[in-house]
Amino acid sequence: MEKFNKVGNYNIPLDYAKNEFSKKDPILMAKLSNSYYDKSTSIFHVKCMDFTLYVEYPSGDIYKENGEKLDKIALEILVIRFLVNANPIPPTNKYITFKEIDGGHVYYPAFLRTSINRLTKEFGGNVEKFKSVMKNIGASKINMGDSAYKIRFLNDTYIIYILWSGDDEIESASNILFDSNIKHYFNAEDIAVIGDIPFIRIYEELDNL
């Protein structure tokens, strides 16, 4: 979980994103991102996986459902960028690999290491555990691989985790796809991180098993 906390120079892009956020019209951002905006409190309600995040305007400070301030800086940056760059593009139900995203080939080695290989390592030998965790984080089962689930990232953006369990002759494997509308909200560098964000919830559920 440490990698999601405030490390390195991530405060620089977060401060920049918050500054851009403060300049935008909140009503327009809410409309374009399909987010609820409470005018009386100046707070956005953004759906993330199986929970809601609350984003204050114009500060850009983000709070969890229990009232605690979000302390996962990678997710903070992505939520603010989502609101700033939002386009009213609904889910297409057409799924693309990371390599199909413009510039994806540049970040693919990191994406493979931090997201795809992590998925294989955690669940390749235990499909039933994968199914249990996915259900507990509100994912929807779909018909791909040996087992696959669609996970909401933010509002109308979705990620698909696919698992092949393998056997004595074939090693287990996994892949991560995205609804193609993700290209209208994030660039390749952002999406390289997005594939790893659900592990915030996955680790919580694994601790409860």
Side-chain angles (χ1 to χ4, degrees):
M1 296 293 288
E2 182 63 27
K3 68 176 294 181
F4 300 108
N5 292 331
K6 296 188 175 182
V7 294
N9 293 322
Y10 283 159
N11 281 308
I12 295 173
L14 178 59
D15 289 344
Y16 178 82
K18 284 185 172 183
N19 184 53
E20 292 298 303
F21 174 75
S22 69
K23 298 175 184 177
K24 294 277 189 174
D25 177 1
I27 304 301
L28 182 59
M29 280 193 289
K31 180 179 180 180
L32 294 178
S33 65
N34 193 24
S35 302
Y36 173 71
Y37 179 68
D38 188 334
K39 296 180 184 178
S40 65
T41 60
S42 298
I43 292 177
F44 289 87
H45 298 206
V46 179
K47 297 176 182 177
C48 180
M49 289 177 278
D50 60 337
F51 53 88
T52 300
L53 293 172
Y54 302 95
V55 187
E56 288 187 343
Y57 181 85
S59 70
D61 291 338
I62 304 175
Y63 295 87
K64 298 182 287 186
E65 291 177 336
N66 63 5
E68 294 179 359
K69 196 170 185 296
L70 184 66
D71 63 352
K72 306 296 184 289
I73 197 164
L75 181 54
E76 291 179 74
I77 293 170
L78 291 167
V79 170
I80 299 299
R81 286 182 179 170
F82 171 77
L83 292 170
V84 169
N85 300 324
N87 289 278
I89 308 297
T92 64
N93 294 317
K94 296 179 181 178
Y95 304 110
I96 56 175
T97 65
F98 185 75
K99 288 183 177 180
E100 292 177 272
I101 295 163
D102 290 343
H105 65 284
V106 175
Y107 299 99
Y108 184 74
F111 179 75
L112 176 65
R113 181 180 65 255
T114 62
S115 298
I116 295 177
N117 288 351
R118 177 181 295 223
L119 182 60
T120 305
K121 180 180 178 180
E122 292 291 347
F123 298 109
N126 195 330
V127 174
E128 292 306 313
K129 182 171 72 171
F130 176 69
K131 292 178 180 179
S132 177
V133 169
M134 289 297 109
K135 290 176 182 177
N136 287 346
I137 67 172
S140 302
K141 192 177 187 309
I142 61 172
N143 188 26
M144 290 183 181
D146 288 334
S147 185
Y149 286 83
K150 182 170 71 173
I151 305 168
R152 181 197 303 276
F153 175 50
L154 297 174
N155 286 358
D156 292 330
T157 59
Y158 291 89
I159 311 166
I160 291 179
Y161 277 14
I162 310 171
L163 192 68
W164 290 270
S165 58
D167 53 33
D168 292 339
E169 297 181 356
I170 301 174
E171 292 185 356
S172 57
S174 64
N175 202 0
I176 299 174
L177 307 180
F178 303 88
D179 190 286
S180 64
N181 74 341
I182 199 126
K183 298 184 293 184
H184 299 281
Y185 294 86
F186 300 101
N187 60 30
E189 186 176 6
D190 289 335
I191 297 170
V193 178
I194 289 170
D196 208 27
I197 291 295
F199 279 93
I200 293 173
R201 283 288 290 115
I202 286 170
Y203 287 145
E204 291 175 350
E205 288 303 320
L206 287 173
D207 288 342
N208 294 329
L209 291 180

